[in-house]
Amino acid sequence: MPTAPRNLYDLTRPELRALLGSLGVNPAHTGRVWRYLYWECVEQFSAMDEVPARVRAALTAHATIGVLPTAVETDSSDGFTRKFLLGLPDAERIETVLMRFTGRVTACVSSQVGCAMGCVFCATGQMGYTRHLTTGEIVAQAVHVQRALLQSVPEKCHVLRDSFTGASGGRVGAVGASPSGNLVAGAAAARHAVAEARPAAGYRPRLRNIVLMGMGEPLHNFDAVMRAIDIFTDGTGLGLAADRITLSTVGVVPGILRLAREQRKPFHLAVSLHAATQAERAAIVPAARKWPLDELMAACRAYSEATGRRIFYEWTLIEGKNDSPEQARAVGRLLGDLPAQVNLIPLNPTQGYDGAPTRSEAARKFQDVLIHEFGIPSTVRQRRGIDIAAGCGQLAVAEK
Ligand code: SAH
Ligand code: SF4
């Protein structure tokens, strides 16, 4: 019989089954408990109505549901982004972001309190490293977002219709259930036609995508993150498809090689590159001194060869630093024949770095070089949640 209470968010489904067995209750109840945790997103055992009282009593005595309390919740004026500041049991805090893109909801999840990698332009790096998150703390963030979605279904909801493409934003309700009940606001409203409709009977908003791009370096916390991905993708819980999960790494070479070696669920891997020469990269990404660019690219090649998957390369565009057409050509040459896509992210402001974002025309030129001269697919990331510091690299928590 376990001594310290187990956080159920720490456990895979087979482990939950084993726990029930060790508590002397019938493991046949595993599926139902799991469904309450990840489908109903309940916060207390008392809400598990269809679980026998004896099982609930055993769980209450020996386990917890590691819900993370919301300290602050902020909505962006872009109408698509909500940031949660969540409390941890040891009084540390982390941030999680809910983003709505047309027809899908994405959670941007943290993997550490702070980060040890020290990228100069990143607010999380600027705050330094405090500790790894547990699997349960990573899982709790995704459940938090799913719960917020469940609690947000309004009586009426908006249906987005993109006025450029005319494409519908998804099934009725699929994008409409804004937590604020006000999905389209400000400038966004000008770009979209909005209709009102009632959510379809039985409509249930679902978290569709998870990006491990919040605070921290996920491959520095490898085991806890991999277990969390196993829980995210369990078909009877949150049920995310593995290819709806993206893990972004600064380039922790041993972690990438491990992913190449181990048979893992086919989630997407993103590698934050930012520069195409070792000297330029080491100047803004200190981790490059430990894992130099040639070793990183060799690891990326090994990963793509072993898995058959392309890697997304992330490139934060900083005006005058890494955004010239010549630097784009250097990226094209560096990636060569590797299966790749380059995602360009105009720099978001942070307190500790005074660089400026590349303007949109220069960003487009950079993208054009990659696409037209090298045949490398490339996107320029939409800026989201900048007013509430919820954009890439802006997550940090003020000192307590
Ligand atoms: N530690 C991981 C994941 C978290 S950062 C990593 O570095 O990949 C998520 C993405 O935001 C990374 O691509 C990172 O380089 C980028 N980023 C960090 N600071 C940024 C900023 N100020 N503006 C734009 N992107 C930034
Ligand atoms: Fe850490 Fe990623 Fe920020 Fe670099 S960009 S400091 S690796 S969170």
Side-chain angles (χ1 to χ4, degrees), residues 179-194:
S180 60
N182 176 25
L183 180 69
V184 180
R191 286 188 280 112
H192 298 283
V194 182

Side-chain angles (χ1 to χ4, degrees), residues 121-122 212-214 216-218 248-250 272 274 314 316 345-348 350 392-393:
F121 45 76
C122 171
L212 284 145
M213 293 192 186
E217 167 47 50
S248 178
T249 176
V250 71
S272 297
H274 310 309
E314 314 269 273
T316 296
I345 318 168
L347 181 76
N348 292 318
T350 61
C392 284

Side-chain angles (χ1 to χ4, degrees), residues 112 114-126 213-218 248-251 272 274 284-287 393:
Q112 297 178 315
C115 182
M117 302 297 153
C119 305
V120 295
F121 45 76
C122 171
T124 314
Q126 290 157 16
M213 293 192 186
M215 296 167 64
E217 167 47 50
S248 178
T249 176
V250 71
S272 297
H274 310 309
I284 49 178
V285 178

Side-chain angles (χ1 to χ4, degrees), residues 252-287:
V252 176
V253 167
I256 297 171
L257 292 174
R258 209 173 144 188
L259 290 178
R261 270 194 321 271
E262 296 176 359
Q263 294 285 322
R264 294 269 165 202
K265 298 250 172 77
F267 57 82
H268 293 294
L269 182 66
V271 170
S272 297
L273 205 53
H274 310 309
T277 67
Q278 169 63 12
E280 284 176 318
R281 191 160 188 269
I284 49 178
V285 178

